[in-house]
Amino acid sequence: MIAQKNITGIILAGGKSSRMGSDKGLMHYEGKSFVEYSIEALKPIVSKIIIVSNNNEYDQFGYSRIEDTVEEFGPVAGIYSGLESSLTTYNLILSCDIPLIRTEILESLVQNAKLEEEVVLLKSQGRLMPLIALYNKDCRKKFKRAIEQKEHKLMNVLSECSIKIIELQDEVSMYTTNVNTKHQLKEIENGSYC
């Protein structure tokens, strides 16, 4: 397995959160902000955590915060910004809107990583999850090229990378639930996962 010292955790918290109406990472679930769940899941298996956000409210959590190198470009720019500032070969990238995420889910990515793959990502209930994934720092060049070519679609950028897909068992797929709306937040609060 990859050593902890060789992995950086990168949390993407730069989205517009237009469907939620306020910054998703700062929304609360069971007394903690969403981003704190991402931090807690990452801490046991990474050497450093970086939050990619232009919002200085994230400074309260005490981790490095970097701003998107290109604004209004979505996760492609967020991933590029994180990889560019990382000092490690391997990088666990998480979106800030998965409050149910668990360390064990992330460990499955790390345990399945091989040198030849640039990206190891989850497949949960038939959906690929590029924002719960392990990225090799080397693929930042492909992200830079995508930005230069105005390619906003993350899956198009990933099609240029060597990828390994880890199929998540249905019984743990709830832990990858994205919460994008207040209605979805109510659903997880009530225990009925979307």
Side-chain angles (χ1 to χ4, degrees), residues 107-172:
E107 281 175 334
S108 70
L109 293 167
V110 174
Q111 287 162 356
N112 284 284
K114 300 278 185 292
L115 280 172
E116 61 268 19
E117 294 121 12
E118 292 172 300
V119 184
V120 182
L121 54 86
L122 293 176
K123 188 174 190 180
S124 178
Q125 297 187 322
R127 286 187 318 129
L128 291 175
M129 315 212 75
L131 298 183
I132 306 175
L134 185 73
Y135 286 75
N136 190 303
K137 185 173 169 75
D138 284 348
C139 68
R140 75 188 184 283
K141 297 166 193 157
K142 292 174 181 174
F143 280 82
K144 184 178 187 194
R145 190 165 63 239
I147 291 167
E148 287 165 352
Q149 295 171 351
K150 308 271 190 285
E151 175 55 77
H152 288 78
K153 291 189 176 162
L154 180 51
M155 292 312 294
N156 289 351
V157 184
L158 289 179
S159 70
E160 302 292 317
C161 302
S162 57
I163 291 178
K164 181 172 188 178
I165 295 167
I166 307 303
E167 190 92 42
L168 206 56
Q169 301 298 316
D170 282 350
E171 60 268 22
V172 292

Side-chain angles (χ1 to χ4, degrees), residues 38-183:
S38 294
I39 289 167
E40 284 175 9
L42 285 166
K43 266 170 58 174
I45 50 175
V46 303
S47 58
K48 183 180 180 184
I49 291 175
I50 297 168
I51 299 173
V52 182
S53 176
N54 294 354
N55 183 349
N56 62 13
E57 284 186 64
Y58 284 98
D59 295 343
Q60 68 184 290
F61 302 107
Y63 293 94
S64 297
R65 179 179 64 85
I66 61 160
E67 300 200 350
D68 268 326
T69 47
V70 184
E71 288 187 46
E72 308 288 323
F73 208 92
V76 171
I79 291 170
Y80 172 70
S81 302
L83 293 177
E84 191 62 23
S85 66
S86 168
L87 299 176
T88 59
T89 301
Y90 296 97
N91 301 275
L92 272 167
I93 290 189
L94 292 186
S95 57
C96 66
D97 58 358
I98 38 174
L100 303 178
I101 193 65
R102 300 284 184 273
T103 300
E104 309 86 80
I105 303 284
L106 305 179
E107 281 175 334
S108 70
L109 293 167
V110 174
Q111 287 162 356
N112 284 284
K114 300 278 185 292
L115 280 172
E116 61 268 19
E117 294 121 12
E118 292 172 300
V119 184
V120 182
L121 54 86
L122 293 176
K123 188 174 190 180
S124 178
Q125 297 187 322
R127 286 187 318 129
L128 291 175
M129 315 212 75
L131 298 183
I132 306 175
L134 185 73
Y135 286 75
N136 190 303
K137 185 173 169 75
D138 284 348
C139 68
R140 75 188 184 283
K141 297 166 193 157
K142 292 174 181 174
F143 280 82
K144 184 178 187 194
R145 190 165 63 239
I147 291 167
E148 287 165 352
Q149 295 171 351
K150 308 271 190 285
E151 175 55 77
H152 288 78
K153 291 189 176 162
L154 180 51
M155 292 312 294
N156 289 351
V157 184
L158 289 179
S159 70
E160 302 292 317
C161 302
S162 57
I163 291 178
K164 181 172 188 178
I165 295 167
I166 307 303
E167 190 92 42
L168 206 56
Q169 301 298 316
D170 282 350
E171 60 268 22
V172 292
S173 63
M174 72 183 94
Y175 298 133
T176 62
T177 302
N178 288 93
V179 180
N180 293 307
T181 65
K182 291 192 168 96
H183 174 71

